[in-house]
Amino acid sequence: MSHTELVAWSAALIGLCFGAAGQATGFCLMRGLANSWTLGDTRKLRSFVLAMAVALLGSQALAAAGLVSLGASHYASPAPSWLAIPLGGALFGYGMTLANGCGARALVLLGSGNLRSFVVLTCLGLAAYMALSGVLAPLRIWLEGMTTLVLPARDLPGAIGAPAWLTALVLGGVLLAWAFASAAFRASPRDWLGGLIIGLLVPAGWYATGVLGHDDFEPVRLASLTFIAPIGESLQYLMLSTGTRLGFGVSVVGGVIVGALAMALLRRDFILRAFDGPGQMLRSMTGGALMGIGGVMALGCSIGQGLSGMSTLALTAFAALAGIVAGARLGIVGPLALSNN
């Protein structure tokens, strides 16, 4: 088996685990924020924070062992856009409130029989490629060029002058402490197991691409869990797969759907669901498009930047995640919330 085939199979396994865990536990940042802000229930949010801590500690352990170089990921940009990244995050955050979940959650829901998610994913993938290399790409490139900021450091350790391992231990410890500070969360194995499993999948992704995919002549691009470009790539692969190679991102996407489907069938939770009316469909289409465009601008989604990006301690991840939370706030309890319209 070639190193590229090994990466593809590893990615499919990672996707299977993500889909099964996401379907069984309801892991979702948007739901966590909504429950926290409207119901005072922080369990889902703490699950996401736990996943972030586990992803951070596991990924930095791989880097400390010299197995991967996280600085080679696309999150560690030396000259990011000070406007496009947080603005893209805000667009993504608001979009996921319209679509009732992020792109990763839509994949899980599709595997569970939710046909609404198919529309969300189609609009997300099309919009992402429009912003990456389509009709919206010139505008995105112009905006990024006009607002480029040359940073003295690419990541948090470099910015504060501290070793990466120490920064990871302190930040990871704080995140873990906050996650488990809630008795309700500690008493909810469904939530803390979901956070633990999904958090471990991020370093698994770095290992698959950085170690299993290492080759002196044809290395696989270093990557881990992210779902904006891979959803667009998956649509393209379905149409143009002849003569192309199955990559890490597409394999993860396929694995998530299959894993969610298997878990839904096992739990007898597979139910076909459709739109209640044109208004709901329009919101889902708009939400998917905003997530696709915003995710490209922000260099990732709630999983891509919120977990994988944060695991590298890249400064862009902090800016993107702040934008995602701000956009979600606008859509859940802010002036742009649907209930206020």
Side-chain angles (χ1 to χ4, degrees):
M1 183 182 294
S2 69
H3 70 290
T4 55
E5 291 173 333
L6 185 58
V7 168
W9 280 109
S10 300
L13 179 59
I14 290 170
L16 281 168
C17 294
F18 187 100
Q23 204 283 331
T25 66
F27 183 89
C28 177
L29 175 60
M30 196 281 292
R31 185 176 174 188
L33 293 172
N35 287 355
S36 177
W37 291 333
T38 61
L39 303 176
D41 182 356
T42 62
R43 287 176 297 175
K44 294 298 180 190
L45 182 58
R46 291 176 192 271
S47 178
F48 189 90
V49 171
L50 172 60
M52 188 187 300
V54 172
L56 169 62
L57 294 172
S59 301
Q60 291 297 322
L62 289 177
L67 295 174
V68 297
S69 176
L70 297 177
S73 72
H74 78 277
Y75 303 109
S77 173
S81 167
W82 59 264
L83 178 60
I85 289 178
L87 177 60
L91 290 174
F92 180 92
Y94 187 70
M96 74 179 183
T97 67
L98 293 177
N100 198 32
C102 66
R105 185 60 183 165
L107 289 170
V108 172
L109 292 176
L110 178 61
S112 303
N114 191 320
L115 301 179
R116 300 190 295 264
S117 297
F118 179 79
V119 175
V120 172
L121 292 167
T122 301
C123 292
L124 188 157
L126 288 173
Y129 259 65
M130 287 169 63
L132 274 171
S133 55
V135 295
L136 297 179
L139 178 60
R140 174 186 60 82
I141 295 171
W142 172 82
L143 177 64
E144 292 173 348
M146 290 290 291
T147 57
T148 296
L149 177 65
V150 179
L151 299 175
R154 300 185 182 191
D155 54 26
L156 182 61
I160 64 177
W165 64 267
L166 180 59
T167 306
L169 283 177
V170 172
L171 181 56
V174 170
L175 295 174
L176 285 173
W178 185 82
F180 284 106
S182 166
F185 179 72
R186 295 195 302 270
S188 178
R190 180 176 183 237
D191 290 311
W192 59 258
L193 272 175
L196 176 62
I197 293 170
I198 289 177
L200 288 172
L201 295 178
V202 172
W206 296 127
Y207 185 87
T209 56
V211 178
L212 302 181
H214 176 73
D215 185 88
D216 291 334
F217 298 100
E218 192 182 9
V220 174
R221 184 176 64 87
L222 185 67
S224 189
L225 289 178
T226 189
F227 290 98
I228 296 301
I231 289 173
E233 291 166 0
S234 298
L235 295 177
Q236 187 178 54
Y237 184 81
L238 290 173
M239 296 181 290
L240 306 171
S241 62
T242 302
T244 62
R245 179 180 294 164
L246 192 62
F248 178 82
V250 176
S251 298
V252 169
V253 168
V256 171
I257 297 174
V258 174
L261 173 61
M263 183 58 70
L265 293 174
L266 182 65
R267 300 176 66 225
R268 298 183 180 180
D269 195 28
F270 183 87
I271 302 174
L272 292 176
R273 296 178 175 87
F275 291 106
D276 295 330
Q280 187 184 44
M281 184 175 181
L282 181 60
R283 288 195 297 272
S284 294
M285 293 172 64
T286 304
L290 288 177
M291 285 194 290
I293 296 169
V296 169
M297 292 172 59
L299 303 180
C301 57
S302 55
I303 301 296
Q305 284 283 29
L307 296 185
S308 297
M310 287 294 291
S311 77
T312 71
L313 293 173
L315 295 178
T316 58
F318 290 89
L321 184 58
I324 289 171
V325 173
R329 179 86 181 179
L330 284 175
I332 295 171
V333 295
L336 299 181
L338 293 178
S339 59
N340 294 339
N341 294 333

